[in-house]
Structures are given as structure tokens and as C-alpha cells.
Amino acid sequence: PQQQPQPQQVYSTCTGRKKALCIGINYIGHPQALRGCINDARHVHDFLIKRWGYKDEDIVMLTDDSKNPRQRPTRANIIDAMRWLVKDARTNDSLFFHYSGHGGQTRDLDGDELDGYDEVIYPMDFQRSGHLTDDVMHRILVKSLPRGCRLTALFDCCHSGTVLDMPYIYRSDGKLKGLQINERTRLQKATNADVITWSGSKDGQTSADTFAGGVAVGAMSYAFITALTAKPNQSYQELLKAVRKILYDKYSQKPQLSSSHHIDTNLRFVM
């Protein structure tokens, strides 16, 4: 069979329209309730507005304490909001997706995962409506993006290392760890977009629900905001090191940086 041509990668300048979706689920009333996820979503919302030029009217918030049924993180609402985020996206736009809540793994049914498991997130109504797999999220959030459109995704949940099925994962020295998906899948999931994923832990690791300054927060959301607030101008490699350093003393989790195309990790991180 003929070799598929690889899509040309294009870095986004992140100078176009900015939109964001922030999801925080505490699973109120559930035996495995979390404490910090709604706070995480609010902190990321504020951080994007104060530090990165996002506007409140271009950010959708889904939290399970919302009184508005459309702003609650049900499976249907999350899918609708993901579609809103990528709708009418253009080259050099900057989209931001944040999820803080439970994550997990389920047996991979289509053979795209090297470890045999798909990564999943859990909507507030997962017991009734089910989870959302990385395959579904990739199809909605990544596949529809045009060339050179940035999507920055921040996942603060367990088993999140490859949650958007990004093929390239980086070590803190900026070097590639090697491909995380097989070649057939890499071709299927190839994209012209500029997708960067920051995740709270490797697949197979749990993420911490911690107290920082007396407020319950997800450790990864806290570290990401703290590192970029202290030093907004950092390379990808510097930011990965800074986030890992903040978490290193207290937690076993090792934050991951992954991408849709091979990135020069010495470049400045923008969003």
C-alpha cells in the first residue's frame, strides 16, 4: 500500500481568537467525591483572563455545583461544550481545554493503545451515561481543527498521560520518550493542528487532590498556574521542569507533556 503523506505541522502563533472550556467535577454526594476540582476550574478561568488575554464571554464553565442545567458537566453537556470550543476554529487561534475530575482506564477495543487500555474521563452522570474515552475526545477536539490552530489541553486527573492520544511525549530534558501509539494509529490520528497536552500523571498513575493555601485544588492545575504566574515567559522544557519541581517533593505523580507533532521544546510556550 502507498505511504500516506504526513500532514505538514504548523505552529500556531496564538494571535487569533481565544476560547476556553473549563470543567471541574467534585462528584458531590458520591462516595468517591473530590474536593478541589470546581476550584481548579475557577482558578484556571481567572488565570486565563488575567494572564493570557482570554475574555469571560469566550470561556464556558461546567461545574457540578451550577444551578443552570446547561452548565453542569453531564456527558451530553461536555460533548456539546467540546463541539462549541472547536466550532469555526481558524489558523493561529488559541483554544484551551481544562478538565479536573476523575480519570481512569478501560480496555481498548480498537487496538490503538500500546498498553491495551483507553484513557477515560468521568462526567458527573457517568453512572447513568458512561465515561468519555480518549478516542471520542480526540475525534471531537483534535480531528476537526484546521492547520496551525492551537489547542492547549490541561488534564488534572488520574491515568491522563496520553488522554488525547497524542503520539509524542517528552522527558524533562526536552527529548522525546518515543512514540506512544502504533504506526497505523499515528497515521489515523495525525493532524495539521498544533495540539499540546499537559497532564497530571502518566497512564497508570493517580493524581493528588491537595490543599494549597488552605483551598482544595488539583495538584496539576495548581502547579501549572503557579509556574506560569511566577514566570510567564518559559520554554516548553522549562515549564515541564517547573511543574514537576512544584509537585516533586509531595507527590509521586509525574506530569506529562505531549503533542500532536514533534515540537522544539526550547521554543517559548504560548497559548
Side-chain angles (χ1 to χ4, degrees):
Q2 197 176 349
Q3 184 72 25
Q4 291 278 324
Q6 281 302 291
Q8 282 300 106
Q9 69 188 52
V10 179
Y11 289 98
S12 173
T13 58
C14 298
T15 51
R17 189 170 177 205
K18 293 176 184 275
K19 289 168 77 178
L21 168 58
C22 301
I23 303 167
I25 314 178
N26 282 356
Y27 308 92
I28 298 158
H30 192 271
Q32 268 99 36
L34 297 169
R35 294 172 301 193
C37 302
I38 292 171
N39 286 336
D40 291 343
R42 295 203 174 114
H43 290 156
V44 169
H45 167 276
D46 294 349
F47 168 73
L48 292 173
I49 290 171
K50 273 193 211 131
R51 304 273 173 175
W52 290 91
Y54 286 70
K55 295 192 176 77
D56 183 55
E57 60 267 28
D58 294 322
I59 303 177
V60 165
M61 297 278 293
L62 299 179
T63 56
D64 54 342
D65 65 345
S66 175
K67 301 287 182 278
N68 181 342
R70 287 293 291 150
Q71 290 174 333
R72 291 162 73 79
T74 62
R75 190 176 190 278
N77 284 349
I78 291 173
I79 287 173
D80 284 349
M82 289 195 299
R83 287 184 176 134
W84 165 84
L85 182 65
V86 299
K87 188 175 189 294
D88 302 327
R90 296 189 190 98
T91 301
N92 293 326
D93 282 357
S94 183
L95 313 177
F96 194 94
F97 176 87
H98 170 248
Y99 172 80
S100 182
H102 277 305
Q105 291 179 304
T106 184
R107 195 162 289 288
D108 170 33
L109 299 177
D110 64 3
D112 66 335
E113 300 280 352
L114 291 182
D115 64 0
Y117 288 92
D118 277 324
E119 283 64 54
V120 302
I121 62 170
Y122 289 94
M124 65 176 286
D125 61 343
F126 70 91
Q127 288 166 305
R128 188 172 67 251
S129 304
H131 52 235
L132 272 169
T133 66
D134 47 9
D135 294 339
V136 171
M137 290 187 280
H138 184 279
R139 195 162 61 242
I140 299 172
L141 288 173
V142 178
K143 264 305 187 192
S144 58
L145 294 178
R147 176 189 301 274
C149 176
R150 162 63 70 80
L151 171 68
T152 306
L154 174 61
F155 285 92
D156 201 337
C157 56
C158 306
H159 310 296
S160 53
T162 61
V163 73
L164 269 189
D165 280 345
M166 294 292 101
Y168 301 97
I169 296 192
Y170 301 85
R171 300 199 305 245
S172 48
D173 62 2
K175 294 199 169 65
L176 263 182
K177 274 188 178 177
L179 284 174
Q180 301 302 304
I181 53 180
N182 62 41
E183 183 63 12
R184 175 178 65 87
T185 307
R186 188 171 75 84
L187 291 170
Q188 275 174 354
K189 301 214 163 162
T191 174
N192 290 314
D194 181 20
V195 184
I196 305 294
T197 303
W198 300 91
S199 45
S201 57
K202 298 186 214 176
D203 295 344
Q205 270 192 328
T206 56
S207 287
D209 189 28
T210 185
F211 281 89
V215 183
V217 288
M220 180 62 188
S221 302
Y222 168 76
F224 186 80
I225 290 171
T226 302
L228 276 173
T229 300
K231 190 183 173 195
N233 193 344
Q234 298 192 60
S235 69
Y236 289 89
Q237 185 184 339
E238 287 172 323
L239 181 55
L240 181 59
K241 276 187 175 157
V243 166
R244 284 187 169 179
K245 189 164 184 282
I246 290 166
L247 298 179
Y248 179 75
D249 292 338
K250 293 196 186 123
Y251 308 108
S252 61
Q253 72 193 79
K254 228 176 174 185
Q256 302 288 302
L257 165 63
S258 58
S259 64
S260 58
H261 60 84
H262 189 269
I263 51 174
D264 175 355
T265 54
N266 294 307
L267 288 173
R268 186 188 167 198
F269 172 70
V270 291
M271 63 185 190

